Amino acid sequence: MDSPGTSPRAGASAVAPLADTDPRVYRRRWLILGVLITSLMAIVLDNTVLNVALKTIAEPVAGLGASQSQLEWAINSYTLVFAGLLFTFGVVGDRVGRKRMLMGGLAAFGFFSLVTAYAQTPDQLVWARAAMGLAAAAVMPQTLSIISNVFDPAERPRAIGIWAVAVGIGVAIGPIVGGLLLAHFWWGSVFLINVPFTAVSVAAIALLVPESKNPQPGRIDYVGVLASIAGLVLVVYGIIQGGDKGSWLHPDVLGPIVIGAAILAFFAWYEARIRYPSLDVRLFRDPRLSSAIAALSLVFFGMMGALFFLSFYLQSVRGYTPLRAGAFSLAFAVAQMLTAPRSPALVRRFGAKAVVSTGLLLVTVALISYQLLGLATPIAVLAVAFFIQGAGMGLVMPPSTEAVMSVVPRERAGSGSALTNTARQVSGALGVAVLGSVLAQVYRSQLSPHLANLPAAARDAATGSITASQAVAAKLGPAGQELARFADSSFVHAMHITTLISAAITLLGALVVMRWMPGRATAARPVPAAPATGAAAPAMVPAAEPVLAGEAPHAEAASVNGEASPDRTAVPNGAASRNGPRAADGVAGHGGSVAMGG
């Protein structure tokens, strides 16, 4: 007879944790985490290190003379290919081996970084960046997958928290690294630095990281992969066209957006009906996963859009060098280092809902505070806003990432990792596209009335971006000083409008989390267990303790067949153990555990 509170299928996980089967791997698990984070840094740094180089790349002499839409595509070509292939490479890594996929992806990333560094035209830069996105998609899912297979459920939240901190810090220090490189080298150096970085990482992975696979891998969903990429590219293309043309009602704008949205709708319909989907949309039935994905998506939407235009504000409007502009992200990094490691303890005390929604509200406050920035505002205001935004992200990322990974079955950790990274990359790409297009349209409408006396060719050039406006002003000599002042004030006005939209988006995220993310798990009331034959009295099921998502091996509350009850209280027939089944659709849970409310 099973003892009370014990699942009859305890210990039946399809995949035993590596720490249980290989003591050598268990002893070096934290060293493995360090290697994975080091490997991840090159991927994470890449987008934000590019942000600080945008002004240089836009210059016709020192850079490539790229327009604002070409700069947006230089960012989005990477993120769209990255996001579109994450699910596929997550599945491929589960099938062929995560270590093998990680090493191959890093080697390819280093090679394509070399190609990008020596691009001669904006179009070459865009295509080379797309190739880098393909390689990055092979790397990112494997890092979280390996963490999920090296660390047992008790330590996994801490490991994922450290991983999330590394992602945030990588995002924050990218502008500093880019500024240092641009202070001494040409713009291509921001990509060239990836080459030795990836070479060292491949060697370390070969020596230290264990191989792992899914013993029952699914087929690759080629239709889903193609549909997701096509749909995302068309939607983003239409959005960027809207900024270029100054009208959202143009056929070249509405056509791609409508067709792309239709393809994405087909993608969601198709994924719900096949056996081996790239994206298992049924997982979104779990409010932990869906609300966590919403939090990650909306916070990155606001962040990437803000970083895009703040780079121009600091360098073009305020006249800072790339290095000085990048130094402001130190406040962002320090804030994340202070808050992210403490977020698991805060979740245990207050619940994931309270922590994540507070983080999103802090990001909203930071974005609203950008309204204070003007042509001569004390720059300390921006540093404070960066600090608040970094603190908010530090509260959002670790618990949201852990919430997603606690829902996805452990043997499909690659898919779970791909899901969190896709949320970040797609929302980041949309943030740059949407907010960049709004910025361009508002800037053009504000500046155009002041260009009436310029020749038609000069007017078109001046409205392309603030960098182009300043280049036209410089050619006009003393007469161009007034144009430069109008350009600066127009850009600040456009930035204010754009940050209000960003703040509204992150506020929406906070409301979504408050409404749907589970809060703290409440202690369960003892209820009678089904008595055994001849038993004198019913046994009592132990009360569940509040637990952090992903730490449910320490909890014992589950319903019949291992499903968590709606109110997260214990019910008859025992609880899921570490290796017990998960709630959603009868699939074994992440680490086999039932991750409860907090």
Side-chain angles (χ1 to χ4, degrees), residues 151-197:
F151 288 89
D152 62 33
E155 290 183 315
R156 194 175 300 133
R158 183 184 174 197
I160 290 177
I162 295 172
W163 179 93
V165 172
V167 172
I169 292 175
V171 168
I173 67 173
I176 302 173
V177 174
L180 284 170
L181 292 170
L182 291 173
H184 299 92
F185 306 102
W186 94 113
W187 64 265
S189 62
V190 301
F191 302 110
L192 199 61
I193 192 175
N194 293 333
V195 178
F197 208 93

Side-chain angles (χ1 to χ4, degrees), residues 306 310 328-329 331-332 335 362-373 378-393 499:
L310 283 173
F328 283 97
S329 63
F332 194 94
L362 285 174
V363 173
T364 302
V365 169
L367 291 170
I368 292 174
S369 69
Y370 291 142
Q371 299 297 306
L372 301 174
L373 298 177
I379 206 64
V381 172
L382 178 59
V384 172
F386 265 168
F387 185 89
I388 296 172
Q389 188 170 351
M393 288 200 67
T499 51

Side-chain angles (χ1 to χ4, degrees), residues 306-523:
L307 290 178
F308 179 78
F309 58 72
L310 283 173
S311 174
F312 287 100
Y313 170 75
L314 287 168
Q315 294 183 58
S316 297
V317 176
R318 302 302 294 265
Y320 288 168
T321 64
L323 179 57
R324 287 189 66 193
F328 283 97
S329 63
L330 276 175
F332 194 94
V334 169
Q336 288 204 71
M337 292 175 66
L338 292 174
T339 57
R342 292 166 174 79
S343 63
L346 292 172
V347 169
R348 285 193 294 271
R349 183 172 181 181
F350 301 107
K353 176 187 290 188
V355 174
V356 175
S357 59
T358 299
L360 284 163
L361 289 174
L362 285 174
V363 173
T364 302
V365 169
L367 291 170
I368 292 174
S369 69
Y370 291 142
Q371 299 297 306
L372 301 174
L373 298 177
L375 299 179
T377 305
I379 206 64
V381 172
L382 178 59
V384 172
F386 265 168
F387 185 89
I388 296 172
Q389 188 170 351
M393 288 200 67
L395 293 177
V396 171
M397 286 184 58
S400 297
T401 304
E402 167 57 20
V404 173
M405 297 304 291
S406 70
V407 172
V408 178
R410 181 174 174 271
E411 60 272 15
R412 292 169 56 198
S415 298
S417 174
L419 186 59
T420 62
N421 289 301
T422 298
R424 286 197 294 266
Q425 295 300 325
V426 170
S427 57
L430 290 174
V432 172
V434 173
L435 299 179
S437 294
V438 171
L439 181 79
Q441 190 167 347
V442 176
Y443 176 74
R444 183 180 292 109
S445 65
Q446 284 290 115
L447 186 62
S448 293
H450 304 289
L451 304 177
N453 295 328
L454 292 180
R459 283 200 302 270
D460 292 340
T463 55
S465 67
I466 187 171
T467 304
S469 302
Q470 292 175 338
V472 171
K475 293 178 181 177
L476 298 177
Q481 293 180 2
E482 186 176 7
L483 172 59
R485 285 195 299 271
F486 285 137
D488 290 347
S489 60
S490 297
F491 184 87
V492 170
H493 175 77
M495 185 178 73
H496 288 167
I497 299 297
T498 307
T499 51
L500 284 179
I501 296 173
S502 300
I505 294 294
T506 53
L507 179 61
L508 174 63
L511 296 175
V512 168
V513 168
M514 290 177 189
R515 173 63 181 85
W516 282 288
M517 180 172 278
R520 296 179 63 190
T522 56

Side-chain angles (χ1 to χ4, degrees), residues 8-45:
R9 291 188 289 173
S13 176
V15 183
L18 290 180
D20 291 351
T21 59
D22 191 340
R24 292 174 300 174
V25 170
Y26 183 79
R27 285 194 297 269
R28 65 173 186 250
R29 64 196 184 283
W30 295 106
L31 183 59
I32 291 171
L33 178 63
V35 171
L36 294 175
I37 288 174
T38 303
S39 305
L40 183 68
M41 276 299 179
I43 308 299
V44 175
L45 281 170

